[in-house]
């Protein structure tokens, strides 16, 4: 059957507009998410947004790969075992029976969440979280912060090892040829005929 798909920006922690013509209005049967639980500062903003979109009948399914980031298994336990159960009933599903065999791996975990009718409100004291935390990338790539930065950054082809070596040599050459701040000041003094500081009485 024909399916209409539309993409919308959703900032975690911000109030979700429920009135039409907002594309986020209405009730949702299923909310799917993957690789959303790797940053502790994002836990409450994420749960705030999920609880704003979900009703007790909404089926929220989140996936987490322990190997995606260092300490991924600890982040998974912190989110799904410690934080989320305050607001959602949490059940781990069998990845082996849910995923295609080519995707099944002991490090991949799938959780089913349903909003608790008695769930407390989530009050965020700090500004809404950035969608992607700052990450340090491999050599030849700079640090990026927001999701937009990351998408723009990865849309550029990565430099080959040979190109990275050329860029490194150019950077080292600029550092060697660039005058120091003190050299620049001495040249300015000489050009204007003003004696150096050690000659002033």
């Amino acid at each position: 059957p024909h399916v209409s798909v539309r993409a919308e920006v959703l900032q975690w922690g911000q109030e979700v507009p429920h009135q039409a013509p907002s594309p986020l209005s209405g009730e949702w049967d299923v909310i799917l998410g993957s690789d959303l639980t790797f940053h502790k500062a994002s836990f409450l903003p994420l749960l705030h947004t999920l609880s704003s979109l979900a009703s007790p009948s909404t089926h929220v399914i989140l996936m987490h790969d322990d190997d995606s980031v260092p300490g991924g298994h600890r982040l998974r336990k912190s989110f799904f075992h410690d934080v989320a159960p305050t607001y959602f009933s949490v059940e781990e599903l069998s990845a082996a029976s849910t995923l295609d065999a080519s995707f099944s791996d002991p490090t991949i975990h799938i959780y089913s969440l349903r909003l608790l009718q008695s769930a407390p409100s989530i009050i965020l004291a700090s500004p809404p979280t950035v969608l992607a935390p700052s990450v340090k990338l491999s050599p030849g790539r700079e640090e990026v912060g927001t999701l937009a930065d990351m998408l723009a950054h990865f849309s550029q082809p990565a430099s080959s090892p040979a190109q990275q070596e050329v860029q490194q040599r150019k950077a080292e050459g600029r550092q060697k040829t660039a005058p120091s701040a003190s050299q620049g000041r001495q040249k300015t003094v000489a050009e204007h005929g003003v004696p150096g500081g050690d000659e002033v009485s």
Side-chain angles (χ1 to χ4, degrees):
H2 176 73
V3 177
S4 176
V5 178
R6 177 174 176 177
E8 293 289 335
V9 174
L10 181 61
Q11 182 79 41
W12 297 352
Q14 289 185 349
E15 292 300 323
V16 177
H18 290 284
Q19 288 75 29
S22 168
L24 299 176
S25 62
E27 293 190 3
W28 297 91
D29 297 321
V30 179
I31 298 175
L32 297 176
S34 179
D35 300 335
L36 306 180
T37 49
F38 297 141
H39 190 44
K40 275 192 173 183
S42 300
F43 285 0
L44 283 180
L46 171 59
L47 288 168
H48 178 277
T49 295
L50 289 176
S51 62
S52 297
L53 291 170
S55 68
S57 62
T58 303
H59 196 182
V60 181
I61 301 175
L62 299 181
M63 298 182 64
H64 179 106
D65 186 350
D66 287 348
D67 278 355
S68 289
V69 295
H73 66 290
R74 291 191 295 272
L75 291 167
R76 172 175 57 83
K77 291 180 178 179
S78 177
F79 181 84
F80 292 102
H81 295 197
D82 300 334
V83 182
T86 302
Y87 311 97
F88 290 83
S89 64
V90 180
E91 176 188 2
E92 183 168 7
L93 306 178
S94 170
S97 61
T98 306
L99 295 177
D100 184 272
S102 59
F103 292 98
S104 181
D105 189 276
T107 66
I108 297 177
H109 298 263
I110 307 174
Y111 289 86
S112 169
L113 286 75
R114 290 189 182 274
L115 183 68
L116 297 173
Q117 291 185 340
S118 59
S121 299
I122 302 176
I123 300 175
L124 302 176
S126 57
T129 186
V130 176
L131 288 176
S134 294
V135 293
K136 197 66 177 178
L137 302 171
S138 57
R141 294 185 181 276
E142 300 175 354
E143 187 169 308
V144 294
T146 65
L147 179 61
D149 293 336
M150 187 173 288
L151 292 175
H153 187 83
F154 281 106
S155 66
Q156 302 297 325
S159 302
S160 66
Q163 290 173 323
Q164 293 176 12
E165 185 177 352
V166 170
Q167 293 171 355
Q168 182 66 25
R169 287 180 178 176
K170 287 182 178 179
E172 291 173 355
R174 286 194 295 269
Q175 292 173 357
K176 290 179 181 178
T177 58
S180 65
S182 60
Q183 289 174 331
R185 285 195 297 270
Q186 290 171 359
K187 182 178 180 181
T188 302
V189 167
E191 289 174 347
H192 292 82
V194 181
D198 56 347
E199 299 176 6
V200 176
S201 56

